[in-house]
Amino acid sequence: MDKLNNKSFLRTINIHTDCTTAWKDCLSIIKESVPHITYNTWFLPIKPVEISDSALKVQVPNGFFVEWIEEHYNTLINKTINEVLGDSGKLIYTVLDDKKNDDEINVIIKDEEKKKTTDEISNQLVASPTEEPHETSLNPRYRFENFIKGEGNQLARAAAYAVGENPGETSFNPLFIYGGVGLGKTHLIQAIGNKILEYYPNKKVIYLSSDLFTVEFVEAIQSNSVNDFSNRYKSMDCLIIDDIQFLIGKEKTQDLFFHIFNTLHQSGKQIILSSDKPPKELKGLNERLISRFSWGLTTDIQPPDFETRIAILKNKSNSFGINLSNEIFEYIAHNITSNIRELEGCLIKLLANSSLNGKEIDYELTKRTVKEISTKRHVNISIEYITNVVCEHFKVDENKVREKNRKKEVVLARQTAMFLSKKLTKSSLKTIGLHFGGRDHSTVIHAHNTIEEMISKDSRLKQSIGELKNKIEMSI
Ligand code: ADP
Ligand code: MG
């Protein structure tokens, strides 16, 4: 047997019969090879779980660890495991906060190094609604226990919780949750699904985005299995559809969804929907759907206030296993205000930067990281695009805002577009002015001040400009 002649293999089975010793040996090699802070941040929190043959199973605090370690330390881990466990050695990660064992992420050490950028990893971690395939497509990480309460989400959370406890039996059917991007809609509606399964393991719960629903429907048409498709959804006890606004313009999918909705609703099954707007504003969606969406409870999620942002940051950094000073939390919470996904992204970037450069997370690093995030946010938005979205919203011809037209609605659209261009792009006042028919910088300042004043007095205008801003930011 070839294997038995292999020295390292023999060493593996002879010496490392227990996982603690094996991991301890790995750690001592790793410790020599990386800066102290990297070691503390990424390797110390890893705990050995078991060893069998030459596979060492370890537990990491969250999925981000796996991503991060694979991305940055794959070679080191390869080398270390080979040294400690032999050539056939492999490391298997399990994630602590995913309770299910099938969430194991197998990492075979021989795998080619993956080349992903920090941004890709961050995006994946913070944005991806699902990771491992799951029967119900629910991400087990989205739970009520880690959803921070705040004024902006109080009602939505309370309703969601009630539905989770008694699906189909409250008057909140459908439960319709709407709000801007990155505010926790997906988290909350999936938390309901997870709660239902916790209380009623036999209930059939399914979560999917309306986009995926459409894709599956088209596939069903192509394979002549629309009935099966429709029956599958009609047989659910709880149907959760995310981002229902993407059904706009898809007439056939809307028709089918209408029938599924009716069947489920009539038999007291729970329906949960999310959207970026309230039902009435979903222009292009069939009226009969819109009216049904309002049968139950419609509630919004507003951006988190300062205290909630701090609470979220503290909670997340706890789960990442890092300790930051109040000064740092406050700096982030003051500067990232409208999107929880960005708060999370900021912490991840901080961890990444500090780990890469071997530096503690301090005030300076925080300032730089926050700046990086805001620059990235603004770098790709063009003044043309802003003008386009704003004009569409106010139903004004785009050319008119560039001309000397003084009609009230044109002026409002022009000033709003200038206001948002100043807020959302890095362009100078002069450049912004040039885009609006060669107006000078003082006109842009005037527009900005006028809109600021108007929205301080008119809450409807404030809301619609806020929505425009979200829409523009969401598109990049
Ligand atoms: P949306 O679906 O509204 O765009 P998500 O549900 O995807 O937003 O939320 C973005 C990120 O912020 C997710 O990682 C989510 O877990 C987190 N998040 C949102 N709201 C909260 C909250 N109240 N407490 C803790 N984390 C939150
Ligand atoms: Mg979402």
Side-chain angles (χ1 to χ4, degrees), residues 75-120:
T75 317
L76 172 65
I77 295 269
N78 269 339
K79 195 181 113 238
T80 309
I81 291 286
N82 282 351
E83 212 165 299
V84 175
L85 295 178
D87 290 345
S88 55
K90 75 180 182 179
L91 193 64
I92 300 175
Y93 296 104
T94 57
V95 177
L96 178 66
D97 54 9
D98 290 348
K99 294 197 180 76
K100 296 204 165 24
N101 283 337
D102 54 4
D103 274 345
E104 262 175 20
I105 303 163
N106 290 351
V107 181
I108 297 169
I109 303 299
K110 300 289 176 206
D111 271 1
E112 243 186 45
E113 274 198 47
K114 287 181 196 155
K115 288 273 164 266
K116 277 191 241 148
T117 64
T118 317
D119 277 352
E120 275 171 330

mmCIF file of all heavy atoms in Angstrom, residues 75-120:
data_model
loop_
_atom_site.group_PDB
_atom_site.id
_atom_site.type_symbol
_atom_site.label_atom_id
_atom_site.label_comp_id
_atom_site.label_asym_id
_atom_site.label_seq_id
_atom_site.Cartn_x
_atom_site.Cartn_y
_atom_site.Cartn_z
ATOM 1 N N THR A 75 -2.975 29.230 1.044
ATOM 2 C CA THR A 75 -1.662 28.619 0.884
ATOM 3 C C THR A 75 -1.082 28.224 2.237
ATOM 4 O O THR A 75 -0.570 27.116 2.415
ATOM 5 C CB THR A 75 -0.705 29.623 0.192
ATOM 6 O OG1 THR A 75 -1.428 30.229 -0.867
ATOM 7 C CG2 THR A 75 0.532 28.953 -0.323
ATOM 8 N N LEU A 76 -1.197 29.139 3.174
ATOM 9 C CA LEU A 76 -0.674 28.857 4.511
ATOM 10 C C LEU A 76 -1.385 27.651 5.123
ATOM 11 O O LEU A 76 -0.758 26.763 5.704
ATOM 12 C CB LEU A 76 -0.865 30.104 5.398
ATOM 13 C CG LEU A 76 -0.541 29.927 6.878
ATOM 14 C CD1 LEU A 76 0.935 29.627 7.078
ATOM 15 C CD2 LEU A 76 -0.926 31.176 7.674
ATOM 16 N N ILE A 77 -2.706 27.618 4.987
ATOM 17 C CA ILE A 77 -3.468 26.499 5.554
ATOM 18 C C ILE A 77 -3.067 25.196 4.863
ATOM 19 O O ILE A 77 -2.832 24.179 5.522
ATOM 20 C CB ILE A 77 -4.992 26.739 5.389
ATOM 21 C CG1 ILE A 77 -5.433 27.947 6.213
ATOM 22 C CG2 ILE A 77 -5.785 25.503 5.752
ATOM 23 C CD1 ILE A 77 -5.890 27.638 7.612
ATOM 24 N N ASN A 78 -2.963 25.244 3.551
ATOM 25 C CA ASN A 78 -2.527 24.061 2.803
ATOM 26 C C ASN A 78 -1.239 23.493 3.360
ATOM 27 O O ASN A 78 -1.135 22.315 3.682
ATOM 28 C CB ASN A 78 -2.195 24.452 1.352
ATOM 29 C CG ASN A 78 -3.402 24.316 0.461
ATOM 30 O OD1 ASN A 78 -4.333 23.607 0.800
ATOM 31 N ND2 ASN A 78 -3.384 25.014 -0.650
ATOM 32 N N LYS A 79 -0.288 24.406 3.456
ATOM 33 C CA LYS A 79 1.051 24.026 3.888
ATOM 34 C C LYS A 79 0.984 23.443 5.309
ATOM 35 O O LYS A 79 1.545 22.392 5.602
ATOM 36 C CB LYS A 79 1.923 25.293 3.855
ATOM 37 C CG LYS A 79 3.401 25.027 3.920
ATOM 38 C CD LYS A 79 4.158 26.345 3.896
ATOM 39 C CE LYS A 79 4.838 26.564 5.201
ATOM 40 N NZ LYS A 79 4.742 27.559 6.079
ATOM 41 N N THR A 80 0.264 24.132 6.145
ATOM 42 C CA THR A 80 0.190 23.727 7.545
ATOM 43 C C THR A 80 -0.457 22.353 7.691
ATOM 44 O O THR A 80 0.047 21.482 8.406
ATOM 45 C CB THR A 80 -0.617 24.769 8.347
ATOM 46 O OG1 THR A 80 -0.079 26.053 8.071
ATOM 47 C CG2 THR A 80 -0.563 24.485 9.828
ATOM 48 N N ILE A 81 -1.577 22.190 7.013
ATOM 49 C CA ILE A 81 -2.295 20.918 7.145
ATOM 50 C C ILE A 81 -1.450 19.767 6.583
ATOM 51 O O ILE A 81 -1.385 18.695 7.178
ATOM 52 C CB ILE A 81 -3.670 20.997 6.424
ATOM 53 C CG1 ILE A 81 -4.591 21.951 7.180
ATOM 54 C CG2 ILE A 81 -4.317 19.638 6.274
ATOM 55 C CD1 ILE A 81 -5.140 21.409 8.483
ATOM 56 N N ASN A 82 -0.783 20.041 5.470
ATOM 57 C CA ASN A 82 0.100 19.014 4.921
ATOM 58 C C ASN A 82 1.174 18.621 5.915
ATOM 59 O O ASN A 82 1.502 17.455 6.088
ATOM 60 C CB ASN A 82 0.792 19.513 3.642
ATOM 61 C CG ASN A 82 -0.151 19.443 2.465
ATOM 62 O OD1 ASN A 82 -1.236 18.869 2.581
ATOM 63 N ND2 ASN A 82 0.219 20.032 1.358
ATOM 64 N N GLU A 83 1.701 19.630 6.548
ATOM 65 C CA GLU A 83 2.773 19.383 7.493
ATOM 66 C C GLU A 83 2.264 18.577 8.689
ATOM 67 O O GLU A 83 2.913 17.661 9.172
ATOM 68 C CB GLU A 83 3.344 20.717 7.961
ATOM 69 C CG GLU A 83 4.821 20.647 8.281
ATOM 70 C CD GLU A 83 5.403 22.045 8.387
ATOM 71 O OE1 GLU A 83 5.349 22.789 7.372
ATOM 72 O OE2 GLU A 83 5.862 22.381 9.480
ATOM 73 N N VAL A 84 1.083 18.929 9.153
ATOM 74 C CA VAL A 84 0.581 18.307 10.374
ATOM 75 C C VAL A 84 -0.155 16.993 10.098
ATOM 76 O O VAL A 84 -0.015 16.026 10.839
ATOM 77 C CB VAL A 84 -0.348 19.299 11.131
ATOM 78 C CG1 VAL A 84 -0.970 18.635 12.347
ATOM 79 C CG2 VAL A 84 0.446 20.526 11.553
ATOM 80 N N LEU A 85 -0.935 16.976 9.024
ATOM 81 C CA LEU A 85 -1.771 15.787 8.806
ATOM 82 C C LEU A 85 -1.356 14.932 7.610
ATOM 83 O O LEU A 85 -2.014 13.945 7.302
ATOM 84 C CB LEU A 85 -3.237 16.205 8.609
ATOM 85 C CG LEU A 85 -3.939 16.848 9.809
ATOM 86 C CD1 LEU A 85 -5.347 17.234 9.444
ATOM 87 C CD2 LEU A 85 -3.957 15.891 10.995
ATOM 88 N N GLY A 86 -0.338 15.346 6.920
ATOM 89 C CA GLY A 86 0.078 14.561 5.759
ATOM 90 C C GLY A 86 -0.530 15.077 4.472
ATOM 91 O O GLY A 86 -1.382 15.958 4.491
ATOM 92 N N ASP A 87 -0.080 14.484 3.353
ATOM 93 C CA ASP A 87 -0.478 14.994 2.043
ATOM 94 C C ASP A 87 -1.972 14.901 1.783
ATOM 95 O O ASP A 87 -2.537 15.679 1.019
ATOM 96 C CB ASP A 87 0.263 14.239 0.932
ATOM 97 C CG ASP A 87 1.739 14.610 0.940
ATOM 98 O OD1 ASP A 87 2.084 15.621 1.587
ATOM 99 O OD2 ASP A 87 2.549 13.871 0.333
ATOM 100 N N SER A 88 -2.615 13.932 2.393
ATOM 101 C CA SER A 88 -4.053 13.800 2.121
ATOM 102 C C SER A 88 -4.887 14.583 3.137
ATOM 103 O O SER A 88 -6.107 14.441 3.187
ATOM 104 C CB SER A 88 -4.443 12.328 2.138
ATOM 105 O OG SER A 88 -4.031 11.766 3.372
ATOM 106 N N GLY A 89 -4.203 15.385 3.950
ATOM 107 C CA GLY A 89 -4.907 16.128 4.988
ATOM 108 C C GLY A 89 -5.938 17.094 4.425
ATOM 109 O O GLY A 89 -5.765 17.654 3.348
ATOM 110 N N LYS A 90 -7.016 17.211 5.120
ATOM 111 C CA LYS A 90 -7.966 18.249 4.712
ATOM 112 C C LYS A 90 -8.626 18.871 5.926
ATOM 113 O O LYS A 90 -8.695 18.260 7.000
ATOM 114 C CB LYS A 90 -8.975 17.710 3.704
ATOM 115 C CG LYS A 90 -10.041 16.840 4.232
ATOM 116 C CD LYS A 90 -10.954 16.409 3.090
ATOM 117 C CE LYS A 90 -12.088 15.563 3.623
ATOM 118 N NZ LYS A 90 -13.029 15.131 2.623
ATOM 119 N N LEU A 91 -9.098 20.094 5.705
ATOM 120 C CA LEU A 91 -9.719 20.833 6.795
ATOM 121 C C LEU A 91 -11.184 21.030 6.441
ATOM 122 O O LEU A 91 -11.513 21.417 5.325
ATOM 123 C CB LEU A 91 -9.027 22.199 6.914
ATOM 124 C CG LEU A 91 -9.308 23.007 8.169
ATOM 125 C CD1 LEU A 91 -8.788 22.289 9.402
ATOM 126 C CD2 LEU A 91 -8.642 24.383 8.062
ATOM 127 N N ILE A 92 -12.041 20.741 7.398
ATOM 128 C CA ILE A 92 -13.473 20.943 7.138
ATOM 129 C C ILE A 92 -13.983 21.992 8.122
ATOM 130 O O ILE A 92 -13.790 21.863 9.328
ATOM 131 C CB ILE A 92 -14.253 19.630 7.351
ATOM 132 C CG1 ILE A 92 -13.721 18.566 6.403
ATOM 133 C CG2 ILE A 92 -15.743 19.845 7.125
ATOM 134 C CD1 ILE A 92 -14.334 17.204 6.612
ATOM 135 N N TYR A 93 -14.595 23.033 7.558
ATOM 136 C CA TYR A 93 -15.115 24.084 8.435
ATOM 137 C C TYR A 93 -16.582 23.831 8.753
ATOM 138 O O TYR A 93 -17.360 23.468 7.875
ATOM 139 C CB TYR A 93 -15.041 25.443 7.739
ATOM 140 C CG TYR A 93 -13.649 25.915 7.420
ATOM 141 C CD1 TYR A 93 -13.160 25.862 6.122
ATOM 142 C CD2 TYR A 93 -12.833 26.427 8.423
ATOM 143 C CE1 TYR A 93 -11.888 26.303 5.817
ATOM 144 C CE2 TYR A 93 -11.550 26.872 8.128
ATOM 145 C CZ TYR A 93 -11.085 26.807 6.824
ATOM 146 O OH TYR A 93 -9.831 27.251 6.532
ATOM 147 N N THR A 94 -16.956 24.071 10.006
ATOM 148 C CA THR A 94 -18.393 24.144 10.305
ATOM 149 C C THR A 94 -18.621 25.520 10.895
ATOM 150 O O THR A 94 -17.758 26.078 11.577
ATOM 151 C CB THR A 94 -18.863 23.088 11.316
ATOM 152 O OG1 THR A 94 -18.095 23.262 12.496
ATOM 153 C CG2 THR A 94 -18.687 21.695 10.802
ATOM 154 N N VAL A 95 -19.790 26.049 10.618
ATOM 155 C CA VAL A 95 -20.070 27.414 11.044
ATOM 156 C C VAL A 95 -20.901 27.387 12.321
ATOM 157 O O VAL A 95 -21.941 26.739 12.380
ATOM 158 C CB VAL A 95 -20.796 28.190 9.929
ATOM 159 C CG1 VAL A 95 -21.156 29.586 10.395
ATOM 160 C CG2 VAL A 95 -19.918 28.252 8.690
ATOM 161 N N LEU A 96 -20.417 28.119 13.313
ATOM 162 C CA LEU A 96 -21.022 28.078 14.639
ATOM 163 C C LEU A 96 -22.472 28.497 14.653
ATOM 164 O O LEU A 96 -23.326 27.851 15.229
ATOM 165 C CB LEU A 96 -20.225 28.986 15.582
ATOM 166 C CG LEU A 96 -20.743 29.104 17.016
ATOM 167 C CD1 LEU A 96 -20.618 27.760 17.710
ATOM 168 C CD2 LEU A 96 -19.956 30.158 17.771
ATOM 169 N N ASP A 97 -22.795 29.622 13.967
ATOM 170 C CA ASP A 97 -24.158 30.108 14.132
ATOM 171 C C ASP A 97 -25.154 29.454 13.176
ATOM 172 O O ASP A 97 -26.323 29.764 13.192
ATOM 173 C CB ASP A 97 -24.232 31.643 14.049
ATOM 174 C CG ASP A 97 -23.602 32.151 12.777
ATOM 175 O OD1 ASP A 97 -23.282 31.319 11.917
ATOM 176 O OD2 ASP A 97 -23.439 33.372 12.671
ATOM 177 N N ASP A 98 -24.677 28.570 12.342
ATOM 178 C CA ASP A 98 -25.633 27.780 11.574
ATOM 179 C C ASP A 98 -25.807 26.475 12.309
ATOM 180 O O ASP A 98 -24.911 25.653 12.361
ATOM 181 C CB ASP A 98 -25.092 27.486 10.164
ATOM 182 C CG ASP A 98 -25.076 28.756 9.346
ATOM 183 O OD1 ASP A 98 -25.687 29.739 9.794
ATOM 184 O OD2 ASP A 98 -24.449 28.749 8.283
ATOM 185 N N LYS A 99 -26.979 26.300 12.873
ATOM 186 C CA LYS A 99 -27.143 25.166 13.766
ATOM 187 C C LYS A 99 -27.080 23.828 13.041
ATOM 188 O O LYS A 99 -26.703 22.824 13.579
ATOM 189 C CB LYS A 99 -28.458 25.297 14.505
ATOM 190 C CG LYS A 99 -28.440 26.494 15.435
ATOM 191 C CD LYS A 99 -29.550 26.404 16.446
ATOM 192 C CE LYS A 99 -29.538 27.590 17.382
ATOM 193 N NZ LYS A 99 -30.046 28.782 16.791
ATOM 194 N N LYS A 100 -27.476 23.864 11.781
ATOM 195 C CA LYS A 100 -27.587 22.582 11.092
ATOM 196 C C LYS A 100 -26.214 22.083 10.619
ATOM 197 O O LYS A 100 -25.417 22.834 10.083
ATOM 198 C CB LYS A 100 -28.485 22.741 9.877
ATOM 199 C CG LYS A 100 -29.886 23.089 10.262
ATOM 200 C CD LYS A 100 -30.810 22.646 9.151
ATOM 201 C CE LYS A 100 -32.260 22.598 9.513
ATOM 202 N NZ LYS A 100 -32.790 23.347 10.534
ATOM 203 N N ASN A 101 -25.991 20.791 10.807
ATOM 204 C CA ASN A 101 -24.705 20.244 10.384
ATOM 205 C C ASN A 101 -24.524 20.240 8.879
ATOM 206 O O ASN A 101 -23.426 20.257 8.378
ATOM 207 C CB ASN A 101 -24.562 18.811 10.883
ATOM 208 C CG ASN A 101 -24.218 18.827 12.344
ATOM 209 O OD1 ASN A 101 -23.684 19.822 12.830
ATOM 210 N ND2 ASN A 101 -24.545 17.766 13.049
ATOM 211 N N ASP A 102 -25.665 20.236 8.188
ATOM 212 C CA ASP A 102 -25.506 20.183 6.744
ATOM 213 C C ASP A 102 -25.017 21.511 6.188
ATOM 214 O O ASP A 102 -24.830 21.674 5.004
ATOM 215 C CB ASP A 102 -26.792 19.744 6.046
ATOM 216 C CG ASP A 102 -27.967 20.588 6.420
ATOM 217 O OD1 ASP A 102 -27.776 21.569 7.176
ATOM 218 O OD2 ASP A 102 -29.067 20.295 5.974
ATOM 219 N N ASP A 103 -24.796 22.458 7.065
ATOM 220 C CA ASP A 103 -24.223 23.712 6.607
ATOM 221 C C ASP A 103 -22.704 23.658 6.576
ATOM 222 O O ASP A 103 -22.030 24.665 6.440
ATOM 223 C CB ASP A 103 -24.652 24.868 7.512
ATOM 224 C CG ASP A 103 -25.981 25.406 7.056
ATOM 225 O OD1 ASP A 103 -26.389 25.077 5.929
ATOM 226 O OD2 ASP A 103 -26.602 26.146 7.814
ATOM 227 N N GLU A 104 -22.186 22.471 6.742
ATOM 228 C CA GLU A 104 -20.742 22.316 6.698
ATOM 229 C C GLU A 104 -20.182 22.794 5.376
ATOM 230 O O GLU A 104 -20.740 22.557 4.328
ATOM 231 C CB GLU A 104 -20.405 20.823 6.792
ATOM 232 C CG GLU A 104 -20.049 20.427 8.179
ATOM 233 C CD GLU A 104 -19.852 18.937 8.245
ATOM 234 O OE1 GLU A 104 -19.627 18.302 7.208
ATOM 235 O OE2 GLU A 104 -19.935 18.439 9.363
ATOM 236 N N ILE A 105 -19.093 23.484 5.490
ATOM 237 C CA ILE A 105 -18.474 23.907 4.244
ATOM 238 C C ILE A 105 -17.189 23.113 4.101
ATOM 239 O O ILE A 105 -16.251 23.277 4.869
ATOM 240 C CB ILE A 105 -18.175 25.408 4.298
ATOM 241 C CG1 ILE A 105 -19.479 26.142 4.573
ATOM 242 C CG2 ILE A 105 -17.545 25.886 3.012
ATOM 243 C CD1 ILE A 105 -19.270 27.540 5.031
ATOM 244 N N ASN A 106 -17.190 22.225 3.168
ATOM 245 C CA ASN A 106 -16.006 21.388 3.011
ATOM 246 C C ASN A 106 -14.967 22.124 2.203
ATOM 247 O O ASN A 106 -15.228 22.591 1.122
ATOM 248 C CB ASN A 106 -16.363 20.107 2.260
ATOM 249 C CG ASN A 106 -17.202 19.217 3.120
ATOM 250 O OD1 ASN A 106 -17.357 19.489 4.308
ATOM 251 N ND2 ASN A 106 -17.748 18.182 2.546
ATOM 252 N N VAL A 107 -13.819 22.210 2.763
ATOM 253 C CA VAL A 107 -12.758 22.849 2.026
ATOM 254 C C VAL A 107 -11.642 21.844 1.848
ATOM 255 O O VAL A 107 -10.982 21.443 2.784
ATOM 256 C CB VAL A 107 -12.229 24.061 2.809
ATOM 257 C CG1 VAL A 107 -11.143 24.735 2.017
ATOM 258 C CG2 VAL A 107 -13.346 25.017 3.096
ATOM 259 N N ILE A 108 -11.501 21.405 0.650
ATOM 260 C CA ILE A 108 -10.446 20.441 0.405
ATOM 261 C C ILE A 108 -9.180 21.232 0.136
ATOM 262 O O ILE A 108 -9.141 22.137 -0.690
ATOM 263 C CB ILE A 108 -10.808 19.522 -0.754
ATOM 264 C CG1 ILE A 108 -12.054 18.758 -0.300
ATOM 265 C CG2 ILE A 108 -9.671 18.572 -1.078
ATOM 266 C CD1 ILE A 108 -12.742 17.985 -1.329
ATOM 267 N N ILE A 109 -8.196 20.897 0.896
ATOM 268 C CA ILE A 109 -7.012 21.724 0.905
ATOM 269 C C ILE A 109 -6.352 21.818 -0.466
ATOM 270 O O ILE A 109 -5.742 22.812 -0.801
ATOM 271 C CB ILE A 109 -6.011 21.159 1.925
ATOM 272 C CG1 ILE A 109 -6.678 21.104 3.280
ATOM 273 C CG2 ILE A 109 -4.763 21.972 2.019
ATOM 274 C CD1 ILE A 109 -7.101 22.438 3.792
ATOM 275 N N LYS A 110 -6.516 20.793 -1.278
ATOM 276 C CA LYS A 110 -5.868 20.820 -2.575
ATOM 277 C C LYS A 110 -6.556 21.772 -3.557
ATOM 278 O O LYS A 110 -6.074 21.984 -4.655
ATOM 279 C CB LYS A 110 -5.843 19.411 -3.198
ATOM 280 C CG LYS A 110 -5.101 18.402 -2.353
ATOM 281 C CD LYS A 110 -3.609 18.659 -2.355
ATOM 282 C CE LYS A 110 -2.900 17.700 -1.441
ATOM 283 N NZ LYS A 110 -1.647 18.249 -0.946
ATOM 284 N N ASP A 111 -7.720 22.272 -3.137
ATOM 285 C CA ASP A 111 -8.449 23.174 -4.039
ATOM 286 C C ASP A 111 -7.570 24.297 -4.521
ATOM 287 O O ASP A 111 -6.729 24.813 -3.802
ATOM 288 C CB ASP A 111 -9.634 23.817 -3.304
ATOM 289 C CG ASP A 111 -10.859 22.967 -3.431
ATOM 290 O OD1 ASP A 111 -10.753 21.903 -4.061
ATOM 291 O OD2 ASP A 111 -11.892 23.362 -2.881
ATOM 292 N N GLU A 112 -7.807 24.657 -5.763
ATOM 293 C CA GLU A 112 -7.072 25.788 -6.299
ATOM 294 C C GLU A 112 -7.409 27.036 -5.492
ATOM 295 O O GLU A 112 -8.518 27.185 -5.024
ATOM 296 C CB GLU A 112 -7.569 26.036 -7.724
ATOM 297 C CG GLU A 112 -6.512 25.840 -8.740
ATOM 298 C CD GLU A 112 -7.044 26.240 -10.092
ATOM 299 O OE1 GLU A 112 -7.689 27.287 -10.182
ATOM 300 O OE2 GLU A 112 -6.801 25.485 -11.036
ATOM 301 N N GLU A 113 -6.444 27.888 -5.362
ATOM 302 C CA GLU A 113 -6.735 29.122 -4.638
ATOM 303 C C GLU A 113 -7.763 29.920 -5.400
ATOM 304 O O GLU A 113 -7.685 30.090 -6.603
ATOM 305 C CB GLU A 113 -5.468 29.944 -4.526
ATOM 306 C CG GLU A 113 -4.668 29.545 -3.337
ATOM 307 C CD GLU A 113 -3.676 30.637 -2.990
ATOM 308 O OE1 GLU A 113 -4.101 31.806 -2.957
ATOM 309 O OE2 GLU A 113 -2.536 30.309 -2.776
ATOM 310 N N LYS A 114 -8.755 30.381 -4.668
ATOM 311 C CA LYS A 114 -9.771 31.170 -5.357
ATOM 312 C C LYS A 114 -9.357 32.617 -5.355
ATOM 313 O O LYS A 114 -8.874 33.129 -4.368
ATOM 314 C CB LYS A 114 -11.102 31.035 -4.635
ATOM 315 C CG LYS A 114 -11.720 29.708 -4.852
ATOM 316 C CD LYS A 114 -13.039 29.683 -4.113
ATOM 317 C CE LYS A 114 -13.502 28.255 -3.967
ATOM 318 N NZ LYS A 114 -14.384 28.112 -2.842
ATOM 319 N N LYS A 115 -9.572 33.251 -6.464
ATOM 320 C CA LYS A 115 -9.199 34.652 -6.529
ATOM 321 C C LYS A 115 -10.450 35.516 -6.449
ATOM 322 O O LYS A 115 -11.151 35.734 -7.414
ATOM 323 C CB LYS A 115 -8.458 34.935 -7.839
ATOM 324 C CG LYS A 115 -7.075 34.346 -7.843
ATOM 325 C CD LYS A 115 -6.058 35.315 -7.225
ATOM 326 C CE LYS A 115 -4.768 34.641 -6.864
ATOM 327 N NZ LYS A 115 -4.672 34.172 -5.486
ATOM 328 N N LYS A 116 -10.740 35.934 -5.258
ATOM 329 C CA LYS A 116 -11.894 36.818 -5.110
ATOM 330 C C LYS A 116 -11.419 38.092 -4.453
ATOM 331 O O LYS A 116 -10.511 38.079 -3.654
ATOM 332 C CB LYS A 116 -12.932 36.164 -4.192
ATOM 333 C CG LYS A 116 -13.816 35.189 -4.916
ATOM 334 C CD LYS A 116 -14.951 34.823 -4.013
ATOM 335 C CE LYS A 116 -14.951 33.344 -3.720
ATOM 336 N NZ LYS A 116 -15.446 32.973 -2.435
ATOM 337 N N THR A 117 -12.025 39.179 -4.774
ATOM 338 C CA THR A 117 -11.603 40.422 -4.156
ATOM 339 C C THR A 117 -12.341 40.583 -2.838
ATOM 340 O O THR A 117 -13.358 39.952 -2.598
ATOM 341 C CB THR A 117 -11.960 41.625 -5.033
ATOM 342 O OG1 THR A 117 -13.375 41.668 -5.115
ATOM 343 C CG2 THR A 117 -11.356 41.505 -6.399
ATOM 344 N N THR A 118 -11.818 41.457 -1.998
ATOM 345 C CA THR A 118 -12.467 41.720 -0.721
ATOM 346 C C THR A 118 -13.900 42.153 -0.951
ATOM 347 O O THR A 118 -14.809 41.765 -0.240
ATOM 348 C CB THR A 118 -11.748 42.892 -0.014
ATOM 349 O OG1 THR A 118 -10.382 42.700 -0.156
ATOM 350 C CG2 THR A 118 -12.163 43.001 1.412
ATOM 351 N N ASP A 119 -14.078 42.978 -1.967
ATOM 352 C CA ASP A 119 -15.420 43.477 -2.232
ATOM 353 C C ASP A 119 -16.378 42.352 -2.550
ATOM 354 O O ASP A 119 -17.493 42.317 -2.076
ATOM 355 C CB ASP A 119 -15.407 44.449 -3.413
ATOM 356 C CG ASP A 119 -14.999 45.819 -2.946
ATOM 357 O OD1 ASP A 119 -14.902 45.985 -1.707
ATOM 358 O OD2 ASP A 119 -14.768 46.680 -3.790
ATOM 359 N N GLU A 120 -15.886 41.422 -3.368
ATOM 360 C CA GLU A 120 -16.765 40.305 -3.726
ATOM 361 C C GLU A 120 -17.153 39.515 -2.487
ATOM 362 O O GLU A 120 -18.298 39.142 -2.314
ATOM 363 C CB GLU A 120 -16.067 39.381 -4.723
ATOM 364 C CG GLU A 120 -16.223 39.855 -6.153
ATOM 365 C CD GLU A 120 -15.349 39.056 -7.106
ATOM 366 O OE1 GLU A 120 -14.271 38.574 -6.689
ATOM 367 O OE2 GLU A 120 -15.749 38.920 -8.249
#
